[in-house]
Amino acid sequence: MSIRATARIHAVRTEGGATALPVLESAGPLALRRTRASGAGAKVTVVGAMSAPLGGDRLAIEAEVGAGARLAVDSAAATIALPGRDGERAHYDVRLTVGDDSELRWLPEQLISAYGSDLRMRTRIDLAPTARLVYREEQILGRYGEMPGTLSTRLTVHRDGRPLLDQELGYGPGAPGGWDGGAVLGGHRAVGQLLIVDPAFEEKEPEVRILSGTAVLTPLAGPAVLVTALAPDALLLRRLLDAVLRDEAG
Amino acid sequence: MSRAALLVLADGRFPAGGHAHSGGAEPAVKAGRIRDAQDLAAFCRGRLHTAGLTAAALAAAAALGLDPLRLDEAADARTPSPALRATARRLGRQMMRAARASWPSPELEALAAARPRGAHQPVVLGLAARSAGLGPEDAAHCVAYETVSGPATAVVRLLSLNPFDATAVLARLAPEMDEVARRAAEAARGGFGELPAASAPLLDITAEAHAAWPVRLFAS
């Protein structure tokens, strides 16, 4: 049996200035736990997503950060896309809404595309004009020494109702041709994006930084920077993105 | 539609400045990712199905009459590399000059006035196609073809690749170009929400380093 499940988080600012979580709804394999935050605001850890999504599953997670609230979300383990019994495609939708003067740090573990799996992941982020966002996504194509499954992801970010970033990636046997050639992946098996949106960038536009031969930090057309990184494996990719996180987001 | 107008627009000699650009092939050759005709085919195929599809849909949408300023904004969101945004606008400005001379129209004038430093090239190309009486499939075909013909021509110069081999690569990609153009036009008919955003990480990454090279054969 395939699963349909939507987990929900709603963070709001309390009168005292702290962040409360009036909605924290686990669903199916997506179990949500409030965990200890390192700074101000609330932190939620997604646990137990280990063996999902399987082919045919339709999973979703929605987070809304109300005005003035601060929320950090991470996960206890990597998410592994696995084949279902009948070769059906799995869907995983992430919908994030961040209000004015609020912050969302969305830093889950990697998404691993196992051999034979077929996953379509869509992320839609809507930001208020003064919202801050730190968002990381890492795709690992195949477990260690394994051929990748089919993975397609789309990341659509709107700020104040206007498009800020729209990016679609497709890899693996079911993707259009040329995905592993010299224009797209060139044989790399770990792909990462780190997006930082900060209204402060409007005053001081960040500069391009070449992080390695296959990684670069670029300012977008709005007040945001995007790290686009390829690496031979998950560990090297994470090391690269972590270095940027330390520098840029404090 | 006028088939001859399509040939004029798609001609590599159309004075829109495309010949100075390698479509990311120059850094790929330098990094050893393109060494022969087989690598070139994989490079072109990957570029066609990513940046090519995305640009073809923007052009098809402009040819259909969707708001070119909103399309320009959509193109910005689909181009995380500032070097590639600058290239797209520079090529858009040159395309605009050639298009206004070839097929003058109020819509071209309006876009030129609203974006004096250049709109994204596929949007201008789509509007030029519209002014020439061409349709969304035509505009999408133009973009799909130039997505692969640019790198193929550049690699002949960069690697001294046999031009017959480079042309054979293009000819073998023809069915996929048709398919990309068809999908691009279909997406454009669905409106802004349906426009694809397929991207190619290596093209975005290497464009920045390439733009900073002190000496290079191609502008991008």
Side-chain angles (χ1 to χ4, degrees):
Chain A
M1 258 310 277
S2 56
I3 298 169
R4 281 168 184 266
T6 300
R8 291 185 179 87
I9 309 169
H10 190 181
V12 296
R13 185 179 191 272
T14 63
E15 275 181 34
T19 297
L21 300 174
V23 177
L24 188 64
E25 276 176 31
S26 301
L30 300 169
L32 307 179
R33 301 282 180 268
R34 184 162 187 167
T35 47
R36 185 186 293 271
S38 54
K43 183 173 176 186
V44 170
T45 299
V46 183
V47 297
M50 216 23 210
S51 58
L54 295 173
D57 288 354
R58 285 181 175 270
L59 304 182
I61 184 161
E62 295 178 0
E64 187 182 338
V65 186
R70 296 173 68 123
L71 175 67
V73 178
D74 65 3
S75 63
T79 300
I80 307 180
L82 292 166
R85 261 169 303 205
D86 45 10
E88 248 190 288
R89 171 179 288 182
H91 295 262
Y92 189 14
D93 288 345
V94 176
R95 292 183 285 271
L96 310 175
T97 310
V98 191
D100 269 315
D101 301 312
S102 54
E103 182 183 85
L104 174 62
R105 297 173 68 84
W106 187 266
L107 299 166
E109 293 302 304
Q110 299 87 351
L111 171 63
I112 302 172
S113 170
Y115 179 68
S117 68
D118 183 357
L119 174 66
R120 173 141 180 81
M121 180 165 177
R122 285 177 303 192
T123 305
R124 165 76 193 214
I125 306 177
D126 285 285
L127 303 172
T130 56
R132 272 176 45 86
L133 174 75
V134 178
Y135 173 92
R136 179 178 69 205
E137 201 175 308
E138 293 158 297
Q139 298 100 29
I140 310 303
L141 308 182
R143 287 168 292 197
Y144 183 76
E146 178 188 61
M147 300 283 286
T150 296
L151 176 64
S152 77
T153 70
R154 181 150 187 175
L155 171 60
T156 304
V157 185
H158 280 69
R159 179 175 172 271
D160 198 14
R162 314 307 305 171
L164 175 69
L165 176 67
D166 209 337
Q167 211 171 42
E168 232 176 317
L169 303 167
Y171 311 124
W179 63 271
D180 205 17
V184 186
L185 285 190
H188 293 84
R189 287 293 174 267
V191 190
Q193 295 87 32
L194 178 67
L195 172 67
I196 302 172
V197 184
D198 189 339
F201 291 149
E202 254 162 346
E203 264 93 81
K204 189 171 178 289
E205 189 182 303
E207 286 176 12
V208 169
R209 281 169 56 198
I210 311 282
L211 304 170
S212 82
T214 54
V216 66
L217 177 148
T218 53
L220 300 183
V225 293
L226 178 72
V227 176
T228 307
L230 300 182
D233 63 43
L235 187 68
L236 292 167
L237 176 65
R238 176 61 65 85
R239 202 174 283 165
L240 211 141
L241 297 182
D242 275 352
V244 178
L245 263 184
R246 275 196 301 273
D247 292 356
E248 305 287 325
Chain B
M1 75 128 197
S2 156
R3 186 171 286 170
L6 176 60
L7 291 175
V8 173
L9 182 60
D11 192 338
R13 287 158 292 191
F14 189 73
H19 62 275
H21 296 264
S22 77
E26 185 165 29
V29 166
K30 174 88 177 283
R33 293 190 188 102
I34 304 179
R35 288 155 305 183
D36 53 28
Q38 201 181 332
D39 294 342
L40 173 65
F43 181 94
C44 288
R45 180 170 280 121
R47 188 166 196 254
L48 172 66
H49 289 289
T50 54
L53 172 67
T54 302
L58 289 166
L64 268 173
L66 270 69
D67 176 5
L69 295 179
R70 267 190 78 190
L71 288 171
D72 197 48
E73 196 176 59
D76 260 349
R78 285 160 173 74
T79 319
S81 152
L84 292 181
R85 287 197 298 274
T87 296
R89 292 193 182 283
R90 204 175 308 123
L91 285 172
R93 192 170 60 225
Q94 285 174 258
M95 170 63 71
M96 179 61 84
R97 287 174 62 191
R100 284 165 90 186
S102 312
W103 303 285
S105 79
E107 286 175 326
L108 281 173
E109 292 307 313
L111 180 58
R115 291 282 180 277
R117 296 172 67 191
H120 279 258
Q121 191 265 6
V123 179
V124 183
L125 187 145
L127 207 54
R130 181 176 169 83
S131 300
L134 297 167
E137 278 83 5
D138 301 321
H141 261 109
C142 273
V143 172
Y145 178 65
E146 75 182 12
T147 294
V148 292
S149 66
T153 312
V155 167
V156 168
R157 290 173 63 190
L158 290 162
L159 273 185
S160 305
L161 188 73
N162 183 332
F164 293 106
D165 292 340
T167 300
V169 165
L170 295 180
R172 276 184 215 112
L173 280 172
E176 285 175 68
M177 285 186 241
D178 290 339
E179 175 61 15
V180 162
R182 190 194 61 75
R183 281 178 55 204
E186 187 182 285
R189 286 198 174 86
F192 283 93
E194 296 295 313
L195 293 177
S199 43
L202 274 176
L203 292 180
D204 290 338
I205 292 165
T206 58
E208 294 302 328
H210 180 258
W213 289 7
V215 180
R216 55 192 199 268
L217 203 52
F218 292 92
S220 77

